[in-house]
Amino acid sequence: MIRLAAAVAVIALLALVSVFIGVGDVSWHALVSPGPDEQALQVLLISRIPRLLAVLLVGTSLGVAGLILQMLARNRFVEPATVGAADSAGLGLLVATMLMPQLPVLGKMLVAAAFSLAGTALFLLILRRIPLRSVLIVPLVGLVLGSVFDSVTTFFAYRSDLLQSVNAWKTGDFSNVLRGRYELLWVTFGLTCGAYFAADRFTVAGMGESFTTNLGMRYSRIVALGLLIVSLITGLVVVTVGMVPFLGLLVPNLVSMFLGDNTRRALPWVAVGGAGFVLLCDVLGRVVRFPYEIPGATIAGVAGSVLFLSLLLRREARVG
């Protein structure tokens, strides 16, 4: 508990620093002086604080979504971006944009979540039908399935002149987050809390269907609950800021190295670690080419891909 509190304190310090980083002149002196700078105060309240909250909510929820997926698939190499969940959510968002352009943001989120749910369920169904002789087959199946969804999305987006919008959905960018445009992400916080209350059930489900049934639990209901949480989180994130790749893969794997597979014990660390990782990537994206910005998802993708490859090579060496 002390270590977790220390981690939260470090993230809080980084969060405080982040609100003062950017092109707009927002300084501590401008905010606390006897005659505070009205423009600096507006930038802080309208842009910097909403952006910070969006970063923390996305990092927390996507980390937890990755942990749930890994328990349900019983594989450490899966997360929403590697099982087709994010790509199917993007396809759903494209369908909503093409067929129902006047649909409100909440409606588009529900359509994206429904497609994400269907894509993730299809992934788990494929895993039950094919022989898995290696743990490395699972992420490869997910990447292939995601590529199929992505190809369909790109084809119809090209025909409808929506490629630019699709690219924005694929890359998580927090620079456009303003007050009034991120509040749906608070739903992901509620979903994260719900996942914590059901953490023990996800731990049992991660031990297999037979073990879960022997304990008197309905495996199908636990899987359905997990898929619902993952799909809603993915849909909300894609609609609001775009997808952050490899986050749900990186953080749960790092936490499991120290805390094992107990979901209730690991989930707070995954939530805090996910928030800290995305916040760090967002800050780096703002300072690397200041005054220009690199999307935080790009930084996260580079770091996550390196870790993903290292995990694959490490597992391959251990198997060999």
Side-chain angles (χ1 to χ4, degrees), residues 51-243:
R51 176 173 184 160
L52 171 63
L53 293 175
V55 166
L56 296 177
L57 290 171
V58 168
T60 298
S61 58
L62 282 183
V64 171
L67 177 64
I68 294 174
L69 266 181
Q70 290 173 13
M71 298 304 295
L72 296 181
R74 301 172 66 186
N75 189 285
R76 284 293 174 188
F77 298 129
V78 298
E79 61 113 20
T82 61
V83 301
D87 296 295
S88 56
L91 177 60
L93 190 54
L94 176 65
V95 170
T97 303
M98 292 176 57
L99 302 182
M100 298 169 284
Q102 303 302 323
L103 197 65
V105 175
L106 180 60
K108 292 181 179 179
M109 181 274 295
L110 292 175
V111 174
F115 273 75
S116 178
L117 178 62
T120 310
L122 177 61
F123 168 75
L124 293 178
L125 179 63
I126 293 174
L127 292 187
R128 294 171 65 93
R129 297 297 180 90
I130 63 175
L132 301 178
R133 296 177 180 164
S134 171
V135 293
L136 304 182
I137 295 297
V138 176
L140 292 178
V141 171
L143 290 173
V144 170
L145 182 63
S147 297
V148 172
F149 291 136
D150 182 60
S151 299
V152 174
T153 303
T154 303
F155 174 78
F156 285 104
Y158 175 77
R159 296 289 299 272
S160 305
D161 198 21
L162 291 172
L163 274 179
Q164 187 173 0
S165 298
V166 170
N167 290 332
W169 302 334
K170 292 179 182 178
T171 305
D173 186 5
F174 298 94
S175 61
N176 295 322
V177 174
L178 299 172
R179 186 174 62 190
R181 296 185 182 180
Y182 82 100
E183 282 76 7
L184 273 177
L185 288 175
W186 284 107
V187 178
T188 65
F189 179 74
L191 293 169
T192 301
C193 294
Y196 180 77
F197 289 116
D200 293 333
R201 296 181 180 273
F202 293 134
T203 301
V204 173
M207 298 180 182
E209 183 175 0
S210 300
F211 186 87
T212 305
T213 304
N214 290 337
L215 290 180
M217 299 181 183
R218 292 199 175 184
Y219 180 77
S220 58
R221 289 187 178 181
I222 299 176
V223 172
L225 175 62
L227 290 182
L228 181 63
I229 292 175
V230 171
S231 60
L232 287 175
I233 288 175
T234 305
L236 281 164
V237 171
V238 169
V239 169
T240 308
V241 298
M243 197 60 192

